[in-house]
Amino acid sequence: MTPAPMAISSASSTVALPEYLEKTYWWAYTHPNAVRVFERQWLVNLILWGNFAKLRDLALDEMGDTINGRVLQVACVYGNFTEHVLRRLGPQGHLSVIDVAPVQITNLHNKIGPQKQVSIFQQDSTALQFADASQDTVVLFFLLHEQPLEVRQKTVAEAMRVTKPGGKIVFVDYHRPRASSPFRYLMVPILTTLEPFAMDLWRGQISDWLPAHCQQLPLDKQTYFGGLYQKVVIQR
């Protein structure tokens, strides 16, 4: 039985910002000015070449039109992703959102306001403070490309750990475009300059970073926009 909805909250955590995040993404994620610049729906859509709404809805559709289970969103997202999850929550639905950056926690509180069915926590994606098999769906929307390999592996392992048997882990992120796509060449200087860890997603597969005991789980992978983006869904 799904627990009763909970009031919006935030953990009194002292989780430290990872060094890679402060050094690599201070300009886009951890500095207060970053929030003021990037928290614009039109800009988020532009960064994704007009594909934000489509990619957002692809992730949402994996949860169904009405969500009555427990959903964990790993990392806050610029744009209206969380608001659209909230619109689909049924009477027994509950959304937990975690992020390691306090400025992002504050920003999300400001975006969505008081909500009865949401909990917001400062946590590190590599050490989730949730019980094993406690979530029906775990969503990682454009997170993995921001993490170095060893961090990404731990994040994926934690997402798998907290997902219930029969539940889903939904990844939406960058992917290596097809050779015929101009973005295969256009995006290289952009990603290597601004998103240096994203190139790992071009060189490998999300399945490569699954824990050994999860390698045989059912996995569905779809690519979009000439292969520049991917959605990977794993059934626990």
Side-chain angles (χ1 to χ4, degrees), residues 60-130:
L60 291 171
D61 288 347
E62 290 296 333
M63 295 178 262
D65 292 336
T66 302
I67 303 169
N68 277 312
R70 300 188 69 84
V71 176
L72 172 60
Q73 177 185 321
V74 183
C76 297
V77 175
Y78 288 134
N80 60 19
F81 183 85
T82 305
E83 292 96 319
H84 278 258
V85 177
L86 295 179
R87 292 174 191 173
R88 297 197 183 200
L89 288 179
Q92 297 301 314
H94 182 263
L95 172 65
S96 296
V97 185
I98 70 102
D99 204 284
V100 74
V103 68
Q104 294 295 332
I105 297 291
T106 299
N107 182 50
L108 185 57
H109 276 289
N110 292 337
K111 281 169 62 174
I112 66 175
Q115 300 284 343
K116 292 183 178 180
Q117 293 173 266
V118 181
S119 297
I120 304 173
F121 303 101
Q122 187 192 3
Q123 294 184 19
D124 192 312
S125 65
T126 66
L128 296 175
Q129 298 170 39
F130 293 91

Side-chain angles (χ1 to χ4, degrees), residues 27-28 34 37-52 55 78-79 142 145-146 174 183 186-187 190-191 194-195 225 228-229:
W27 58 274
V37 171
F38 287 99
E39 191 57 271
R40 291 174 168 82
Q41 186 63 38
W42 68 266
L43 181 56
V44 176
N45 192 47
L46 180 64
I47 291 170
L48 293 178
W49 303 102
N51 287 277
F52 178 87
L55 296 167
Y78 288 134
F142 282 92
H145 76 275
E146 297 177 347
Y174 286 109
F183 288 95
L186 177 62
M187 291 297 292
I190 295 174
L191 293 181
L194 300 177
E195 307 269 14
F225 200 61
L228 180 59
Y229 306 113

Side-chain angles (χ1 to χ4, degrees), residues 199-234:
M199 297 307 295
D200 279 347
L201 295 180
W202 287 34
R203 291 187 285 265
Q205 303 288 332
I206 289 176
S207 58
D208 296 338
W209 305 306
L210 292 175
H213 66 280
C214 296
Q215 292 285 338
Q216 302 305 314
L217 291 174
L219 180 151
D220 179 67
K221 173 183 173 181
Q222 304 290 333
T223 62
Y224 308 92
F225 200 61
L228 180 59
Y229 306 113
Q230 63 180 317
K231 180 190 71 173
V232 172
V233 180
I234 299 174

